[in-house]
């Protein structure tokens, strides 16, 4: 797949997020930039590269991966700074395509055995509104539970609900889905279901924690346990054989998962686990995002280059 340059002059990008909005553009790419914070990129015109909208930026420690909850319209921004600030929860206004900085709060960082806050690198939201986070130093995976209403967003203290099978840290999360249709031929008929599957860019390889909410009646004990992720039922992200090593980032486009290593953007087919090289020639592919597909605009896959390696 051919690449084009979308923007220049960003510094150590720690995350990308496409946010659909009601502006004329239909949506914008947001970036976690080491110097400017979490910022919107605005296209300038045909043939020109996009530029950082400095008025849109939210500075919060050293921002890394951000995640979006479309039900509550919340953006969650993880912090990797030495201060271990946790996660910034800020409202998004689709009408303006901007953050509502008057409506924001912080979710405290998980802590290690010594009580020190963990510096977060990964964030993703499942279909129920739960926020999952991870860090590069340990393989622990934490959950901030969704509030009592769909619009409340994630809240409370982080709960340890999983880990990587090798104990290695994580750099990026992405939620994908597996849709299993109903089978009316069985007795009784088997209902259909859709699972939330967590793709993990571990420090060693791309891992998978399928069905985090435990909706598959048959379970998946052969991979990582049965039932929903919980403190009393921790789950494991496992290497299922994608063959992608030292990944930097992962993303999901509604059909396929994507994973970036140092030089290559790979596309994963969830149906059979097959992997193809989607684009090459990167220098530390530190973040990936995918735009929404519309009737007139094709879906775009964005990759953030970080030659400095953070």
């Amino acid at each position: 797949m051919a690449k084009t340059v979308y923007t220049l002059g960003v510094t150590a990008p720690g995350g990308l997020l496409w946010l659909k909005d009601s502006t004329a553009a239909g949506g914008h790419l947001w970036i976690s930039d080491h110097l400017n914070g979490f910022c919107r990129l605005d296209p300038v015109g045909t043939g020109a590269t996009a530029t950082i909208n400095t008025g849109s930026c939210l500075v919060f420690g050293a921002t890394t991966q951000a995640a979006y909850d479309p039900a509550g319209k919340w953006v969650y921004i993880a912090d990797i700074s030495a201060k271990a600030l946790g996660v910034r929860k800020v409202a998004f206004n689709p009408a303006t395509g901007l953050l509502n900085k008057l409506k924001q709060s912080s979710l405290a960082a998980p802590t290690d055995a010594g009580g020190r806050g963990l510096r977060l690198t990964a964030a993703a939201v499942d279909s129920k509104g739960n926020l999952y986070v991870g860090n590069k130093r340990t393989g622990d995976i934490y959950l901030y539970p969704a509030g009592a209403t769909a619009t409340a967003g994630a809240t409370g203290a982080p709960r340890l609900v999983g880990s990587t099978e090798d104990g290695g840290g994580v750099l990026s999360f992405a939620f994908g889905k597996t849709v299993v249709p109903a089978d009316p031929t069985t007795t009784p008929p088997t209902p259909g279901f859709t699972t939330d599957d967590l793709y993990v860019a571990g420090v060693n390889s791309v891992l998978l924690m399928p069905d985090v909410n435990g909706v598959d009646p048959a379970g998946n004990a052969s991979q990582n346990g049965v039932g929903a992720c919980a403190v009393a039922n921790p789950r494991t992200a496992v290497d299922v054989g994608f063959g992608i090593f030292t990944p930097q980032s992962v993303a999901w486009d509604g059909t396929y998962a994507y994973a970036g290593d140092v030089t290559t953007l790979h596309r994963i087919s969830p149906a059979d686990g097959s992997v193809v090289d989607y684009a090459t020639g990167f220098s530390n592919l530190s973040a990936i995002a995918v735009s929404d597909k519309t009737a007139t605009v094709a879906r775009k896959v964005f990759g953030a280059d970080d030659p400095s390696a953070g």
Side-chain angles (χ1 to χ4, degrees), residues 126-139:
D126 70 11
S127 65
K128 296 181 179 295
N130 299 305
L131 171 66
Y132 287 72
V133 299
N135 72 100
K136 189 176 180 179
R137 186 158 62 87
T138 75

Side-chain angles (χ1 to χ4, degrees), residues 112-213:
D112 63 14
R116 296 167 296 186
L118 295 174
R119 301 163 68 174
L120 303 179
T121 50
V125 178
D126 70 11
S127 65
K128 296 181 179 295
N130 299 305
L131 171 66
Y132 287 72
V133 299
N135 72 100
K136 189 176 180 179
R137 186 158 62 87
T138 75
D140 293 337
I141 297 172
Y142 294 86
L143 176 151
Y144 296 89
T149 66
T151 58
T155 186
R159 303 173 182 178
L160 178 59
V161 297
S163 62
T164 56
E165 67 172 343
D166 58 5
V170 302
L171 297 175
S172 178
F173 285 160
F175 267 108
K177 294 183 181 297
T178 299
V179 179
V180 178
D183 184 356
T185 66
T186 61
T187 304
T190 304
F193 56 89
T194 301
T195 66
D196 287 320
D197 307 323
L198 184 63
Y199 289 82
V200 178
V203 294
N204 296 310
S205 64
V206 174
L207 310 172
L208 182 64
M209 183 188 287
D211 192 18
V212 298
N213 288 308

Side-chain angles (χ1 to χ4, degrees), residues 68-121:
Y68 182 55
D69 173 12
K73 298 180 176 60
W74 294 105
V75 175
Y76 302 97
I77 307 164
D79 167 54
I80 196 177
S81 73
K83 295 181 179 180
L85 300 176
V87 179
R88 198 64 162 177
K89 174 183 177 182
V90 57
F92 176 67
N93 184 348
T96 62
L98 294 168
L99 302 177
N100 180 357
K101 298 177 185 178
L102 298 178
K103 191 177 180 181
Q104 59 178 296
S105 59
S106 292
L107 300 172
T111 56
D112 63 14
R116 296 167 296 186
L118 295 174
R119 301 163 68 174
L120 303 179
T121 50

